[in-house]
Amino acid sequence: MLHLNAFLMGVGHHEAAWRLPESDPFAQTDVAHFTRLARIAERGKLDSLFLADSPVLWNSIGRRPGGTLEPTVLLTALAGATRHIGLIATASTTYNEPFNLARRFASLDHVSGGRAGWNIVTTAGEQAARNFNLDELPAHRDRYERAAEFVEVSLKLWDSWDDAAPLGDKDAGRWGDDDLLYPTEHVGRYFRVAGPLNVPRSPQGYPLLVQAGSSEDGKELAARYAEAVFTAQQTLAEAQAFYRDLKERAARAGRDPDTIKILPGIVPAIGATEAEARALEDELDRLIKPEYARQQLATTLRVAPEDLDLDKELPADLPAEDEIEGAKSRYTLIVTLARRERLTVRQLIGRLGGGRGHRTFAGTPEQVADAIEEWYRSGAADGFNIMPPVLPSGLEAFVDHVVPILQRRGLFRTEYTGATLRDHYGLPRPTNQFTRQLAATAR
């Protein structure tokens, strides 16, 4: 069946959502706001919640609400407010250490009863680098090589406790079996980690591994490790090509392609009629302040703001993709979109204001369900990352009006049938790698 993830961002993904009369402009740090969203998503039987993150202030606080809660902390609070829905947090491999991060996600998996997921990112942008004793952003290839080693170390740490290591034998006075701890003893290019982890193996073995980069290096990392992939795709043909490519890469990496779920983002503006949905979309676009948006677009495109005339198309002499060290795939998507549809800068700002390059769609619940089903049945997606333009109303509209249509069509669950996030995604609990090695040696 379809997999549906709720991507939660403040009061909505549209950058002007905070200006609507219904919106609380300070909700991004309000746990009660996110608790309400989590319960709405769980009411709809969605697979998971997702929180993006970056170790840097994302944008000018003049433009939209700034500052967010650290996602694993927030998801720990949401774990206590929900029972079934998965909890996926973004965390950077460039600006963390494997031991601390592995411990944090193992802890979240224990606290939630096996509902944790890790969105693995390498973090683009020089501003983040300057928050971590660096003068410039590490090279794209170096960030992805570090990420691969980071994941390998994390897997070793999560497997450093055998499932049978904790005993709790009161009569013998023996709490655990030290022989069932497996020292990590990792020595590599980027990390030296002795281990073992100071948290027992968690309910899922280790969190669901998610990845969100669509560059060549990003797709290779996903093919090796990811169990779900969040991606931005604008057209059916592009989505189908990405889907085929990633499934083929997974197969070449020795994996079953069905164990990697592809989830494009969709920003659905939903109305009782198509005209009502378009009116919501138009109202949000009217509330965008182009002077802020142009500055952000200029930063993304690596040009000066004055080079972007609001009423003209993008300049012809933009940097080539191989000159871009951060967010390569998003840069290419934005430029391709603008060139293909011959958008002016003002029009492009409107398109990006809703979903930052993700597909935007305005229509009735039936039309939104049709759009989701078309991509799902056409080999373009295993499900979707739902990105409501306005929260909570956009999530409520999706859960109360689109989900029932998908359920009636037999495309989505009507009840949760498993306890863990891996259960929701139809994935097995991974076998401990050290146990496998011992079994192989014994044979």
Side-chain angles (χ1 to χ4, degrees), residues 282-318:
D282 291 344
E283 180 183 9
L284 287 165
D285 288 347
R286 281 195 301 271
L287 293 173
I288 293 175
K289 297 194 73 171
E291 60 268 30
Y292 288 130
R294 184 170 69 167
Q295 175 65 56
Q296 182 64 37
L297 180 60
T299 299
T300 300
L301 299 179
R302 310 301 194 270
V303 298
E306 54 269 24
D307 293 337
L308 299 178
D309 187 319
L310 287 172
D311 296 309
K312 293 183 178 179
E313 295 181 28
L314 292 180
D317 56 345
L318 292 175

PDB file of all heavy atoms in Angstrom, residues 282-318:
ATOM      1  N   ASP A 282      -3.630  31.337  -4.281  1.00  0.00           N
ATOM      2  CA  ASP A 282      -3.409  32.718  -4.713  1.00  0.00           C
ATOM      3  C   ASP A 282      -3.247  33.652  -3.518  1.00  0.00           C
ATOM      4  O   ASP A 282      -2.408  34.571  -3.540  1.00  0.00           O
ATOM      5  CB  ASP A 282      -4.568  33.196  -5.587  1.00  0.00           C
ATOM      6  CG  ASP A 282      -4.605  32.503  -6.946  1.00  0.00           C
ATOM      7  OD1 ASP A 282      -3.583  31.891  -7.320  1.00  0.00           O
ATOM      8  OD2 ASP A 282      -5.659  32.557  -7.608  1.00  0.00           O
ATOM      9  N   GLU A 283      -4.046  33.425  -2.476  1.00  0.00           N
ATOM     10  CA  GLU A 283      -3.951  34.277  -1.291  1.00  0.00           C
ATOM     11  C   GLU A 283      -2.570  34.147  -0.649  1.00  0.00           C
ATOM     12  O   GLU A 283      -1.948  35.143  -0.269  1.00  0.00           O
ATOM     13  CB  GLU A 283      -5.030  33.893  -0.277  1.00  0.00           C
ATOM     14  CG  GLU A 283      -4.986  34.739   0.996  1.00  0.00           C
ATOM     15  CD  GLU A 283      -6.007  34.317   2.026  1.00  0.00           C
ATOM     16  OE1 GLU A 283      -6.644  33.253   1.845  1.00  0.00           O
ATOM     17  OE2 GLU A 283      -6.176  35.031   3.027  1.00  0.00           O
ATOM     18  N   LEU A 284      -2.074  32.935  -0.539  1.00  0.00           N
ATOM     19  CA  LEU A 284      -0.750  32.713   0.048  1.00  0.00           C
ATOM     20  C   LEU A 284       0.329  33.378  -0.802  1.00  0.00           C
ATOM     21  O   LEU A 284       1.236  34.030  -0.275  1.00  0.00           O
ATOM     22  CB  LEU A 284      -0.488  31.213   0.183  1.00  0.00           C
ATOM     23  CG  LEU A 284      -1.279  30.510   1.283  1.00  0.00           C
ATOM     24  CD1 LEU A 284      -1.216  28.996   1.096  1.00  0.00           C
ATOM     25  CD2 LEU A 284      -0.748  30.891   2.657  1.00  0.00           C
ATOM     26  N   ASP A 285       0.244  33.229  -2.120  1.00  0.00           N
ATOM     27  CA  ASP A 285       1.258  33.814  -2.997  1.00  0.00           C
ATOM     28  C   ASP A 285       1.256  35.344  -2.913  1.00  0.00           C
ATOM     29  O   ASP A 285       2.310  35.976  -3.003  1.00  0.00           O
ATOM     30  CB  ASP A 285       1.039  33.363  -4.443  1.00  0.00           C
ATOM     31  CG  ASP A 285       1.406  31.900  -4.660  1.00  0.00           C
ATOM     32  OD1 ASP A 285       2.055  31.311  -3.770  1.00  0.00           O
ATOM     33  OD2 ASP A 285       1.042  31.349  -5.714  1.00  0.00           O
ATOM     34  N   ARG A 286       0.063  35.933  -2.723  1.00  0.00           N
ATOM     35  CA  ARG A 286      -0.012  37.389  -2.604  1.00  0.00           C
ATOM     36  C   ARG A 286       0.687  37.889  -1.342  1.00  0.00           C
ATOM     37  O   ARG A 286       1.138  39.040  -1.290  1.00  0.00           O
ATOM     38  CB  ARG A 286      -1.473  37.854  -2.598  1.00  0.00           C
ATOM     39  CG  ARG A 286      -2.124  37.905  -3.960  1.00  0.00           C
ATOM     40  CD  ARG A 286      -3.413  38.712  -3.925  1.00  0.00           C
ATOM     41  NE  ARG A 286      -4.389  38.158  -2.985  1.00  0.00           N
ATOM     42  CZ  ARG A 286      -5.280  37.231  -3.293  1.00  0.00           C
ATOM     43  NH1 ARG A 286      -5.314  36.728  -4.521  1.00  0.00           N
ATOM     44  NH2 ARG A 286      -6.138  36.791  -2.392  1.00  0.00           N
ATOM     45  N   LEU A 287       0.784  37.042  -0.334  1.00  0.00           N
ATOM     46  CA  LEU A 287       1.372  37.440   0.940  1.00  0.00           C
ATOM     47  C   LEU A 287       2.897  37.283   0.974  1.00  0.00           C
ATOM     48  O   LEU A 287       3.536  37.652   1.957  1.00  0.00           O
ATOM     49  CB  LEU A 287       0.745  36.632   2.082  1.00  0.00           C
ATOM     50  CG  LEU A 287      -0.742  36.918   2.349  1.00  0.00           C
ATOM     51  CD1 LEU A 287      -1.289  35.937   3.388  1.00  0.00           C
ATOM     52  CD2 LEU A 287      -0.950  38.350   2.807  1.00  0.00           C
ATOM     53  N   ILE A 288       3.478  36.736  -0.074  1.00  0.00           N
ATOM     54  CA  ILE A 288       4.940  36.633  -0.141  1.00  0.00           C
ATOM     55  C   ILE A 288       5.531  38.032  -0.292  1.00  0.00           C
ATOM     56  O   ILE A 288       5.037  38.851  -1.080  1.00  0.00           O
ATOM     57  CB  ILE A 288       5.374  35.759  -1.340  1.00  0.00           C
ATOM     58  CG1 ILE A 288       4.952  34.300  -1.129  1.00  0.00           C
ATOM     59  CG2 ILE A 288       6.891  35.836  -1.548  1.00  0.00           C
ATOM     60  CD1 ILE A 288       5.247  33.414  -2.327  1.00  0.00           C
ATOM     61  N   LYS A 289       6.588  38.317   0.439  1.00  0.00           N
ATOM     62  CA  LYS A 289       7.304  39.582   0.280  1.00  0.00           C
ATOM     63  C   LYS A 289       8.486  39.321  -0.654  1.00  0.00           C
ATOM     64  O   LYS A 289       9.468  38.690  -0.271  1.00  0.00           O
ATOM     65  CB  LYS A 289       7.779  40.110   1.634  1.00  0.00           C
ATOM     66  CG  LYS A 289       6.627  40.425   2.587  1.00  0.00           C
ATOM     67  CD  LYS A 289       7.079  41.243   3.779  1.00  0.00           C
ATOM     68  CE  LYS A 289       7.367  42.672   3.371  1.00  0.00           C
ATOM     69  NZ  LYS A 289       7.608  43.535   4.569  1.00  0.00           N
ATOM     70  N   PRO A 290       8.414  39.784  -1.900  1.00  0.00           N
ATOM     71  CA  PRO A 290       9.418  39.400  -2.897  1.00  0.00           C
ATOM     72  C   PRO A 290      10.834  39.856  -2.571  1.00  0.00           C
ATOM     73  O   PRO A 290      11.794  39.227  -2.989  1.00  0.00           O
ATOM     74  CB  PRO A 290       8.903  40.037  -4.196  1.00  0.00           C
ATOM     75  CG  PRO A 290       7.935  41.083  -3.768  1.00  0.00           C
ATOM     76  CD  PRO A 290       7.343  40.613  -2.487  1.00  0.00           C
ATOM     77  N   GLU A 291      10.997  40.935  -1.794  1.00  0.00           N
ATOM     78  CA  GLU A 291      12.357  41.391  -1.497  1.00  0.00           C
ATOM     79  C   GLU A 291      13.117  40.374  -0.649  1.00  0.00           C
ATOM     80  O   GLU A 291      14.322  40.182  -0.814  1.00  0.00           O
ATOM     81  CB  GLU A 291      12.336  42.757  -0.806  1.00  0.00           C
ATOM     82  CG  GLU A 291      11.604  42.820   0.521  1.00  0.00           C
ATOM     83  CD  GLU A 291      10.141  43.214   0.382  1.00  0.00           C
ATOM     84  OE1 GLU A 291       9.548  42.899  -0.670  1.00  0.00           O
ATOM     85  OE2 GLU A 291       9.607  43.820   1.324  1.00  0.00           O
ATOM     86  N   TYR A 292      12.408  39.709   0.264  1.00  0.00           N
ATOM     87  CA  TYR A 292      13.053  38.658   1.055  1.00  0.00           C
ATOM     88  C   TYR A 292      13.302  37.418   0.190  1.00  0.00           C
ATOM     89  O   TYR A 292      14.361  36.801   0.232  1.00  0.00           O
ATOM     90  CB  TYR A 292      12.176  38.266   2.242  1.00  0.00           C
ATOM     91  CG  TYR A 292      12.104  39.289   3.345  1.00  0.00           C
ATOM     92  CD1 TYR A 292      10.876  39.690   3.858  1.00  0.00           C
ATOM     93  CD2 TYR A 292      13.263  39.841   3.896  1.00  0.00           C
ATOM     94  CE1 TYR A 292      10.794  40.629   4.884  1.00  0.00           C
ATOM     95  CE2 TYR A 292      13.189  40.771   4.920  1.00  0.00           C
ATOM     96  CZ  TYR A 292      11.957  41.163   5.417  1.00  0.00           C
ATOM     97  OH  TYR A 292      11.876  42.077   6.427  1.00  0.00           O
ATOM     98  N   ALA A 293      12.284  37.046  -0.577  1.00  0.00           N
ATOM     99  CA  ALA A 293      12.372  35.833  -1.386  1.00  0.00           C
ATOM    100  C   ALA A 293      13.468  35.946  -2.439  1.00  0.00           C
ATOM    101  O   ALA A 293      14.160  34.970  -2.742  1.00  0.00           O
ATOM    102  CB  ALA A 293      11.023  35.546  -2.040  1.00  0.00           C
ATOM    103  N   ARG A 294      13.621  37.130  -3.031  1.00  0.00           N
ATOM    104  CA  ARG A 294      14.666  37.308  -4.048  1.00  0.00           C
ATOM    105  C   ARG A 294      16.056  37.121  -3.440  1.00  0.00           C
ATOM    106  O   ARG A 294      16.936  36.526  -4.065  1.00  0.00           O
ATOM    107  CB  ARG A 294      14.556  38.690  -4.700  1.00  0.00           C
ATOM    108  CG  ARG A 294      15.566  38.875  -5.828  1.00  0.00           C
ATOM    109  CD  ARG A 294      15.327  40.122  -6.634  1.00  0.00           C
ATOM    110  NE  ARG A 294      15.600  41.336  -5.872  1.00  0.00           N
ATOM    111  CZ  ARG A 294      15.711  42.541  -6.432  1.00  0.00           C
ATOM    112  NH1 ARG A 294      15.523  42.688  -7.734  1.00  0.00           N
ATOM    113  NH2 ARG A 294      15.959  43.593  -5.691  1.00  0.00           N
ATOM    114  N   GLN A 295      16.245  37.605  -2.215  1.00  0.00           N
ATOM    115  CA  GLN A 295      17.536  37.429  -1.548  1.00  0.00           C
ATOM    116  C   GLN A 295      17.841  35.947  -1.350  1.00  0.00           C
ATOM    117  O   GLN A 295      18.957  35.483  -1.597  1.00  0.00           O
ATOM    118  CB  GLN A 295      17.523  38.149  -0.201  1.00  0.00           C
ATOM    119  CG  GLN A 295      18.775  37.942   0.643  1.00  0.00           C
ATOM    120  CD  GLN A 295      20.009  38.530  -0.011  1.00  0.00           C
ATOM    121  OE1 GLN A 295      20.043  39.711  -0.337  1.00  0.00           O
ATOM    122  NE2 GLN A 295      21.034  37.712  -0.221  1.00  0.00           N
ATOM    123  N   GLN A 296      16.837  35.174  -0.904  1.00  0.00           N
ATOM    124  CA  GLN A 296      17.038  33.745  -0.688  1.00  0.00           C
ATOM    125  C   GLN A 296      17.320  33.029  -2.006  1.00  0.00           C
ATOM    126  O   GLN A 296      18.199  32.162  -2.083  1.00  0.00           O
ATOM    127  CB  GLN A 296      15.798  33.138  -0.024  1.00  0.00           C
ATOM    128  CG  GLN A 296      15.907  31.659   0.285  1.00  0.00           C
ATOM    129  CD  GLN A 296      16.995  31.353   1.293  1.00  0.00           C
ATOM    130  OE1 GLN A 296      17.208  32.117   2.228  1.00  0.00           O
ATOM    131  NE2 GLN A 296      17.704  30.247   1.102  1.00  0.00           N
ATOM    132  N   LEU A 297      16.578  33.373  -3.056  1.00  0.00           N
ATOM    133  CA  LEU A 297      16.792  32.743  -4.364  1.00  0.00           C
ATOM    134  C   LEU A 297      18.188  33.067  -4.882  1.00  0.00           C
ATOM    135  O   LEU A 297      18.875  32.188  -5.428  1.00  0.00           O
ATOM    136  CB  LEU A 297      15.729  33.224  -5.352  1.00  0.00           C
ATOM    137  CG  LEU A 297      15.810  32.651  -6.765  1.00  0.00           C
ATOM    138  CD1 LEU A 297      15.672  31.134  -6.752  1.00  0.00           C
ATOM    139  CD2 LEU A 297      14.737  33.275  -7.654  1.00  0.00           C
ATOM    140  N   ALA A 298      18.622  34.309  -4.700  1.00  0.00           N
ATOM    141  CA  ALA A 298      19.965  34.692  -5.142  1.00  0.00           C
ATOM    142  C   ALA A 298      21.032  33.882  -4.425  1.00  0.00           C
ATOM    143  O   ALA A 298      22.022  33.448  -5.035  1.00  0.00           O
ATOM    144  CB  ALA A 298      20.184  36.188  -4.908  1.00  0.00           C
ATOM    145  N   THR A 299      20.854  33.653  -3.142  1.00  0.00           N
ATOM    146  CA  THR A 299      21.809  32.836  -2.378  1.00  0.00           C
ATOM    147  C   THR A 299      21.848  31.416  -2.928  1.00  0.00           C
ATOM    148  O   THR A 299      22.923  30.830  -3.108  1.00  0.00           O
ATOM    149  CB  THR A 299      21.417  32.819  -0.893  1.00  0.00           C
ATOM    150  OG1 THR A 299      21.447  34.165  -0.388  1.00  0.00           O
ATOM    151  CG2 THR A 299      22.373  31.954  -0.080  1.00  0.00           C
ATOM    152  N   THR A 300      20.681  30.848  -3.213  1.00  0.00           N
ATOM    153  CA  THR A 300      20.609  29.486  -3.740  1.00  0.00           C
ATOM    154  C   THR A 300      21.290  29.379  -5.103  1.00  0.00           C
ATOM    155  O   THR A 300      21.987  28.404  -5.395  1.00  0.00           O
ATOM    156  CB  THR A 300      19.140  29.045  -3.865  1.00  0.00           C
ATOM    157  OG1 THR A 300      18.533  29.082  -2.573  1.00  0.00           O
ATOM    158  CG2 THR A 300      19.033  27.634  -4.433  1.00  0.00           C
ATOM    159  N   LEU A 301      21.099  30.404  -5.946  1.00  0.00           N
ATOM    160  CA  LEU A 301      21.628  30.374  -7.311  1.00  0.00           C
ATOM    161  C   LEU A 301      23.056  30.909  -7.405  1.00  0.00           C
ATOM    162  O   LEU A 301      23.643  30.915  -8.488  1.00  0.00           O
ATOM    163  CB  LEU A 301      20.718  31.179  -8.237  1.00  0.00           C
ATOM    164  CG  LEU A 301      19.272  30.682  -8.357  1.00  0.00           C
ATOM    165  CD1 LEU A 301      18.483  31.584  -9.287  1.00  0.00           C
ATOM    166  CD2 LEU A 301      19.232  29.231  -8.845  1.00  0.00           C
ATOM    167  N   ARG A 302      23.595  31.391  -6.296  1.00  0.00           N
ATOM    168  CA  ARG A 302      24.975  31.915  -6.245  1.00  0.00           C
ATOM    169  C   ARG A 302      25.154  33.132  -7.152  1.00  0.00           C
ATOM    170  O   ARG A 302      26.125  33.247  -7.894  1.00  0.00           O
ATOM    171  CB  ARG A 302      26.006  30.833  -6.615  1.00  0.00           C
ATOM    172  CG  ARG A 302      25.882  29.491  -5.894  1.00  0.00           C
ATOM    173  CD  ARG A 302      25.979  29.614  -4.396  1.00  0.00           C
ATOM    174  NE  ARG A 302      26.190  28.322  -3.761  1.00  0.00           N
ATOM    175  CZ  ARG A 302      25.204  27.503  -3.350  1.00  0.00           C
ATOM    176  NH1 ARG A 302      23.937  27.852  -3.522  1.00  0.00           N
ATOM    177  NH2 ARG A 302      25.496  26.365  -2.756  1.00  0.00           N
ATOM    178  N   VAL A 303      24.164  34.031  -7.105  1.00  0.00           N
ATOM    179  CA  VAL A 303      24.250  35.279  -7.863  1.00  0.00           C
ATOM    180  C   VAL A 303      23.900  36.434  -6.922  1.00  0.00           C
ATOM    181  O   VAL A 303      23.416  36.223  -5.807  1.00  0.00           O
ATOM    182  CB  VAL A 303      23.296  35.280  -9.080  1.00  0.00           C
ATOM    183  CG1 VAL A 303      23.660  34.177 -10.057  1.00  0.00           C
ATOM    184  CG2 VAL A 303      21.838  35.166  -8.634  1.00  0.00           C
ATOM    185  N   ALA A 304      24.126  37.651  -7.372  1.00  0.00           N
ATOM    186  CA  ALA A 304      23.766  38.831  -6.589  1.00  0.00           C
ATOM    187  C   ALA A 304      22.269  39.096  -6.749  1.00  0.00           C
ATOM    188  O   ALA A 304      21.709  38.903  -7.839  1.00  0.00           O
ATOM    189  CB  ALA A 304      24.562  40.036  -7.056  1.00  0.00           C
ATOM    190  N   PRO A 305      21.573  39.549  -5.685  1.00  0.00           N
ATOM    191  CA  PRO A 305      20.132  39.827  -5.795  1.00  0.00           C
ATOM    192  C   PRO A 305      19.792  40.794  -6.915  1.00  0.00           C
ATOM    193  O   PRO A 305      18.763  40.631  -7.585  1.00  0.00           O
ATOM    194  CB  PRO A 305      19.790  40.411  -4.421  1.00  0.00           C
ATOM    195  CG  PRO A 305      20.836  39.880  -3.502  1.00  0.00           C
ATOM    196  CD  PRO A 305      22.080  39.761  -4.317  1.00  0.00           C
ATOM    197  N   GLU A 306      20.648  41.789  -7.130  1.00  0.00           N
ATOM    198  CA  GLU A 306      20.353  42.772  -8.182  1.00  0.00           C
ATOM    199  C   GLU A 306      20.418  42.160  -9.586  1.00  0.00           C
ATOM    200  O   GLU A 306      19.954  42.775 -10.560  1.00  0.00           O
ATOM    201  CB  GLU A 306      21.304  43.966  -8.085  1.00  0.00           C
ATOM    202  CG  GLU A 306      22.770  43.609  -8.093  1.00  0.00           C
ATOM    203  CD  GLU A 306      23.347  43.398  -6.695  1.00  0.00           C
ATOM    204  OE1 GLU A 306      22.569  43.080  -5.758  1.00  0.00           O
ATOM    205  OE2 GLU A 306      24.578  43.544  -6.556  1.00  0.00           O
ATOM    206  N   ASP A 307      20.985  40.948  -9.712  1.00  0.00           N
ATOM    207  CA  ASP A 307      21.017  40.274 -11.008  1.00  0.00           C
ATOM    208  C   ASP A 307      19.692  39.591 -11.340  1.00  0.00           C
ATOM    209  O   ASP A 307      19.515  39.096 -12.458  1.00  0.00           O
ATOM    210  CB  ASP A 307      22.142  39.227 -11.038  1.00  0.00           C
ATOM    211  CG  ASP A 307      23.522  39.863 -10.980  1.00  0.00           C
ATOM    212  OD1 ASP A 307      23.639  41.047 -11.357  1.00  0.00           O
ATOM    213  OD2 ASP A 307      24.469  39.174 -10.561  1.00  0.00           O
ATOM    214  N   LEU A 308      18.786  39.554 -10.370  1.00  0.00           N
ATOM    215  CA  LEU A 308      17.500  38.889 -10.569  1.00  0.00           C
ATOM    216  C   LEU A 308      16.397  39.938 -10.699  1.00  0.00           C
ATOM    217  O   LEU A 308      15.912  40.481  -9.712  1.00  0.00           O
ATOM    218  CB  LEU A 308      17.198  37.949  -9.392  1.00  0.00           C
ATOM    219  CG  LEU A 308      18.191  36.804  -9.156  1.00  0.00           C
ATOM    220  CD1 LEU A 308      17.792  35.990  -7.931  1.00  0.00           C
ATOM    221  CD2 LEU A 308      18.295  35.901 -10.378  1.00  0.00           C
ATOM    222  N   ASP A 309      16.025  40.237 -11.930  1.00  0.00           N
ATOM    223  CA  ASP A 309      14.929  41.167 -12.199  1.00  0.00           C
ATOM    224  C   ASP A 309      13.616  40.413 -11.986  1.00  0.00           C
ATOM    225  O   ASP A 309      13.369  39.378 -12.621  1.00  0.00           O
ATOM    226  CB  ASP A 309      15.030  41.673 -13.639  1.00  0.00           C
ATOM    227  CG  ASP A 309      14.025  42.765 -13.945  1.00  0.00           C
ATOM    228  OD1 ASP A 309      12.857  42.652 -13.508  1.00  0.00           O
ATOM    229  OD2 ASP A 309      14.400  43.746 -14.618  1.00  0.00           O
ATOM    230  N   LEU A 310      12.765  40.918 -11.099  1.00  0.00           N
ATOM    231  CA  LEU A 310      11.538  40.202 -10.739  1.00  0.00           C
ATOM    232  C   LEU A 310      10.660  39.898 -11.944  1.00  0.00           C
ATOM    233  O   LEU A 310       9.943  38.885 -11.947  1.00  0.00           O
ATOM    234  CB  LEU A 310      10.744  41.009  -9.710  1.00  0.00           C
ATOM    235  CG  LEU A 310      11.316  41.039  -8.290  1.00  0.00           C
ATOM    236  CD1 LEU A 310      10.549  42.038  -7.426  1.00  0.00           C
ATOM    237  CD2 LEU A 310      11.263  39.653  -7.662  1.00  0.00           C
ATOM    238  N   ASP A 311      10.697  40.727 -12.949  1.00  0.00           N
ATOM    239  CA  ASP A 311       9.788  40.548 -14.082  1.00  0.00           C
ATOM    240  C   ASP A 311      10.479  40.022 -15.335  1.00  0.00           C
ATOM    241  O   ASP A 311       9.958  40.130 -16.446  1.00  0.00           O
ATOM    242  CB  ASP A 311       9.072  41.865 -14.365  1.00  0.00           C
ATOM    243  CG  ASP A 311       8.186  42.271 -13.188  1.00  0.00           C
ATOM    244  OD1 ASP A 311       7.384  41.423 -12.752  1.00  0.00           O
ATOM    245  OD2 ASP A 311       8.329  43.404 -12.695  1.00  0.00           O
ATOM    246  N   LYS A 312      11.665  39.448 -15.150  1.00  0.00           N
ATOM    247  CA  LYS A 312      12.365  38.786 -16.243  1.00  0.00           C
ATOM    248  C   LYS A 312      12.714  37.357 -15.853  1.00  0.00           C
ATOM    249  O   LYS A 312      12.676  36.986 -14.681  1.00  0.00           O
ATOM    250  CB  LYS A 312      13.645  39.555 -16.592  1.00  0.00           C
ATOM    251  CG  LYS A 312      13.394  40.936 -17.191  1.00  0.00           C
ATOM    252  CD  LYS A 312      14.715  41.607 -17.578  1.00  0.00           C
ATOM    253  CE  LYS A 312      14.459  42.972 -18.212  1.00  0.00           C
ATOM    254  NZ  LYS A 312      15.744  43.647 -18.569  1.00  0.00           N
ATOM    255  N   GLU A 313      13.056  36.548 -16.859  1.00  0.00           N
ATOM    256  CA  GLU A 313      13.494  35.182 -16.581  1.00  0.00           C
ATOM    257  C   GLU A 313      14.876  35.192 -15.940  1.00  0.00           C
ATOM    258  O   GLU A 313      15.556  36.225 -15.885  1.00  0.00           O
ATOM    259  CB  GLU A 313      13.507  34.373 -17.883  1.00  0.00           C
ATOM    260  CG  GLU A 313      12.121  34.194 -18.492  1.00  0.00           C
ATOM    261  CD  GLU A 313      12.157  33.371 -19.775  1.00  0.00           C
ATOM    262  OE1 GLU A 313      13.070  32.529 -19.915  1.00  0.00           O
ATOM    263  OE2 GLU A 313      11.275  33.575 -20.638  1.00  0.00           O
ATOM    264  N   LEU A 314      15.307  34.025 -15.460  1.00  0.00           N
ATOM    265  CA  LEU A 314      16.620  33.925 -14.829  1.00  0.00           C
ATOM    266  C   LEU A 314      17.723  34.316 -15.813  1.00  0.00           C
ATOM    267  O   LEU A 314      17.595  34.090 -17.025  1.00  0.00           O
ATOM    268  CB  LEU A 314      16.875  32.487 -14.356  1.00  0.00           C
ATOM    269  CG  LEU A 314      16.019  31.968 -13.197  1.00  0.00           C
ATOM    270  CD1 LEU A 314      16.424  30.531 -12.875  1.00  0.00           C
ATOM    271  CD2 LEU A 314      16.148  32.848 -11.977  1.00  0.00           C
ATOM    272  N   PRO A 315      18.813  34.877 -15.327  1.00  0.00           N
ATOM    273  CA  PRO A 315      19.935  35.201 -16.223  1.00  0.00           C
ATOM    274  C   PRO A 315      20.440  33.961 -16.950  1.00  0.00           C
ATOM    275  O   PRO A 315      20.350  32.827 -16.446  1.00  0.00           O
ATOM    276  CB  PRO A 315      21.000  35.742 -15.261  1.00  0.00           C
ATOM    277  CG  PRO A 315      20.264  36.145 -14.027  1.00  0.00           C
ATOM    278  CD  PRO A 315      19.080  35.233 -13.931  1.00  0.00           C
ATOM    279  N   ALA A 316      20.987  34.168 -18.125  1.00  0.00           N
ATOM    280  CA  ALA A 316      21.477  33.050 -18.942  1.00  0.00           C
ATOM    281  C   ALA A 316      22.776  32.469 -18.392  1.00  0.00           C
ATOM    282  O   ALA A 316      23.082  31.292 -18.620  1.00  0.00           O
ATOM    283  CB  ALA A 316      21.677  33.504 -20.381  1.00  0.00           C
ATOM    284  N   ASP A 317      23.549  33.273 -17.671  1.00  0.00           N
ATOM    285  CA  ASP A 317      24.897  32.863 -17.276  1.00  0.00           C
ATOM    286  C   ASP A 317      24.978  32.421 -15.814  1.00  0.00           C
ATOM    287  O   ASP A 317      25.847  32.849 -15.060  1.00  0.00           O
ATOM    288  CB  ASP A 317      25.895  33.994 -17.519  1.00  0.00           C
ATOM    289  CG  ASP A 317      25.482  35.281 -16.801  1.00  0.00           C
ATOM    290  OD1 ASP A 317      24.312  35.367 -16.372  1.00  0.00           O
ATOM    291  OD2 ASP A 317      26.331  36.186 -16.670  1.00  0.00           O
ATOM    292  N   LEU A 318      24.064  31.546 -15.398  1.00  0.00           N
ATOM    293  CA  LEU A 318      24.115  31.002 -14.041  1.00  0.00           C
ATOM    294  C   LEU A 318      25.276  30.014 -13.914  1.00  0.00           C
ATOM    295  O   LEU A 318      25.713  29.420 -14.915  1.00  0.00           O
ATOM    296  CB  LEU A 318      22.802  30.294 -13.705  1.00  0.00           C
ATOM    297  CG  LEU A 318      21.564  31.177 -13.569  1.00  0.00           C
ATOM    298  CD1 LEU A 318      20.333  30.307 -13.359  1.00  0.00           C
ATOM    299  CD2 LEU A 318      21.719  32.174 -12.437  1.00  0.00           C
TER     300      LEU A 318
END
